[in-house]
């Protein structure tokens, strides 16, 4: 993974427990081009690797902007950002990747953002504005104090932005309420906490003409069928001609690391695409949340942190 050295040229509080960082290339050159919905890997000083969405206008090549909400149950990522990343400091990041891209065949969009899930949505809104495309946003937050970028969204969107604050409404937003209606054919793009995502998914399933696309914070809790049993399979490494056995209790990534293969990885939940590996032969059992249905059907790549095999053997380009 190529690393890019960047300086933190600006740090501001965007909302309660939300810090906004502006990053510029340390040598002063432009950063790689990105598309709306993209994210970067951030190599934190405590050794952790975390993914954060880019929120600024994708036409701005001199800087990237991210915003990080301090999680109450932080596993070391957001707490490190808030405590250790200071204006004037330096960090390493990756080139942008996009698992949440706008389908440009549409010209009208319904966005739904929950809390810090506004970050990729904001970049999408900026792009829609530059293209003259129609859009609307439902922005959900615990309170006004926790809702970032309010002034910017009001300036850009005006009445196209609908706000819902749990503390003022006295309840979570109800997606079955008739006041929330998406026109047939208009896609929904959603990013936020799992309950919001699941509610939007359920709404979309009831409206087959309004497809929904998601950027998950964490894998949804999906009950696995009792009939699904993890089995032993083999992995052949094409470059080294080595054959490894993957037991029921371990992932491909676990076995590779135990045998000295240092693959890049981060989430270990099939959420970030960091460990994506080319499949040369065999049939993967995809269990990730980032590959499209078409990508899964092609069987050309897989996330070795969670996915397994339908065939006895997988041949990987390692």
């Amino acid at each position: 993974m190529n690393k890019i050295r960047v300086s933190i040229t600006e740090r501001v509080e965007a909302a309660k427990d939300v810090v906004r960082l502006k990053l510029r290339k340390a040598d002063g050159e432009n950063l790689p081009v990105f598309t709306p919905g993209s994210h970067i890997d951030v190599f934190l000083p405590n050794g952790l690797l975390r993914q954060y969405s880019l929120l600024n206008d994708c036409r701005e090549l001199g800087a990237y902007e991210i915003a990080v909400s301090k999680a109450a149950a932080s596993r070391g990522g957001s707490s490190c950002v808030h405590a250790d990343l200071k204006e004037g400091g330096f960090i390493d990041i990756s080139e942008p990747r996009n698992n949440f891209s706008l389908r440009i065949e549409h010209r009208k969009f319904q966005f739904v953002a929950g809390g810090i899930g506004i970050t990729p949505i904001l970049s999408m809104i900026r792009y829609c504005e530059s293209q003259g495309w129609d859009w609307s946003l439902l922005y959900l937050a615990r309170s006004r104090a926790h809702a970032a970028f309010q002034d910017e969204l009001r300036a850009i969107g005006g009445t196209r932005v609908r706000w819902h604050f749990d503390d003022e409404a006295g309840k979570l937003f109800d997606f079955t309420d008739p006041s929330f209606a998406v026109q047939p054919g208009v896609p929904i793009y959603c990013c936020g906490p799992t309950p919001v995502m699941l509610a939007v998914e359920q709404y979309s399933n009831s409206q087959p003409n309004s497809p929904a696309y998601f950027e998950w914070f964490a894998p949804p809790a999906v009950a696995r069928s009792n009939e699904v049993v993890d089995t032993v399979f083999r992995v052949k490494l094409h470059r080294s001609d080595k054959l490894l056995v993957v037991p029921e209790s371990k992932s491909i990534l676990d076995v590779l690391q135990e045998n000295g293969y240092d693959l890049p990885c981060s989430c270990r939940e099939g959420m970030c695409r960091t460990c994506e590996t080319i499949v040369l032969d065999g049939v993967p059992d995809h269990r990730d949340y980032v590959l499209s249905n078409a990508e899964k059907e092609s069987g050309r790549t897989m996330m070795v942190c969670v996915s397994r095999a339908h065939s006895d053997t997988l041949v990987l380009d390692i």
Side-chain angles (χ1 to χ4, degrees):
M1 184 186 299
N2 294 328
K3 293 183 180 180
I4 303 171
R5 191 70 169 171
V6 295
S7 60
I8 304 170
T9 60
E10 186 178 322
R11 172 181 166 136
V12 297
E13 301 299 318
K16 181 177 175 59
D17 294 328
V18 177
V19 64
R20 178 176 185 170
L21 304 176
K22 179 170 282 190
L23 312 174
R24 296 187 184 274
K25 205 170 179 184
D27 61 11
E29 298 292 326
N30 280 344
L31 288 158
V33 174
F34 71 95
T35 53
S38 294
H39 69 273
I40 55 172
D41 295 331
V42 177
F43 298 83
L44 296 173
N46 62 1
L48 294 177
L49 179 65
R50 291 292 185 265
Q51 292 75 40
Y52 298 111
S53 296
L54 298 175
L55 63 91
N56 53 312
D57 191 325
C58 64
R59 296 172 296 174
E60 182 184 3
L61 302 182
Y64 292 159
E65 291 187 47
I66 62 174
V68 181
S69 176
K70 187 176 181 180
S74 173
R75 295 181 295 173
S78 65
S79 60
C80 178
V81 171
H82 279 251
D84 299 333
L85 298 191
K86 307 296 185 182
E87 190 169 313
F90 294 86
I91 54 171
D92 289 326
I93 64 171
S94 71
E95 294 185 356
R97 299 196 303 278
N98 199 337
N99 304 325
F100 189 45
S101 57
L102 283 173
R103 271 64 171 180
I104 59 174
E105 64 268 21
H106 302 288
R107 293 295 184 270
K108 188 171 185 178
F109 303 87
Q110 172 67 58
F111 299 116
V112 179
I116 199 60
I118 189 61
T119 50
I121 299 297
L122 185 53
S123 182
M124 290 177 168
I125 287 173
R126 296 185 196 280
Y127 188 74
C128 286
E129 284 291 286
S130 74
Q131 300 300 309
W133 295 344
D134 194 7
W135 60 271
S136 58
L137 167 67
L138 172 62
Y139 190 2
L140 316 173
R142 285 180 286 167
S143 69
R144 290 182 187 271
H146 288 92
F149 316 116
Q150 293 182 57
D151 291 341
E152 293 170 65
L153 287 167
R154 288 192 173 95
I156 297 171
T159 58
R160 288 178 292 177
V161 181
R162 178 178 179 179
W163 308 85
H164 175 90
F165 305 112
D166 296 342
D167 62 343
E168 296 178 18
K171 61 180 180 179
L172 300 177
F173 185 80
D174 182 4
F175 284 90
T176 65
D177 191 299
S179 66
F180 180 75
V182 181
Q183 294 180 12
V186 175
I188 304 170
Y189 287 78
C190 179
C191 183
T194 298
V196 172
M197 308 279 267
L198 293 176
V200 171
E201 186 175 51
Q202 184 175 8
Y203 174 87
S204 176
N205 290 339
S206 70
Q207 307 289 328
N209 292 322
S210 295
Y213 306 97
F214 301 95
E215 177 86 319
W216 296 89
F217 286 170
V222 178
R224 295 183 64 193
S225 168
N226 292 330
E227 298 178 1
V228 177
V229 178
D230 291 341
T231 59
V232 177
F233 61 95
R234 298 178 299 176
V235 170
K236 184 175 182 180
L237 309 183
H238 176 71
R239 299 183 202 175
S240 59
D241 198 31
K242 192 168 185 177
L243 189 66
L244 302 176
V245 176
V246 181
E248 302 97 322
S249 59
K250 295 181 180 180
S251 68
I252 299 173
L253 181 61
D254 292 335
V255 173
L256 289 170
Q257 290 179 333
E258 289 174 359
N259 284 270
Y261 293 88
D262 186 21
L263 268 68
C265 63
S266 177
C267 71
R268 293 181 178 270
E269 295 177 318
M271 299 293 302
C272 70
R273 211 163 184 151
T274 304
C275 70
E276 184 172 8
T277 302
I278 295 174
V279 179
L280 299 176
D281 196 15
V283 182
D285 175 9
H286 296 290
R287 300 184 183 182
D288 64 88
Y289 300 92
V290 292
L291 289 176
S292 67
N293 289 335
E295 288 173 315
K296 290 179 179 180
E297 289 174 5
S298 74
R300 294 174 182 173
T301 67
M302 68 184 301
M303 306 306 138
V304 294
C305 65
V306 293
S307 296
R308 301 185 68 80
H310 285 305
S311 54
D312 292 335
T313 304
L314 290 174
V315 181
L316 303 180
D317 189 19
I318 297 175

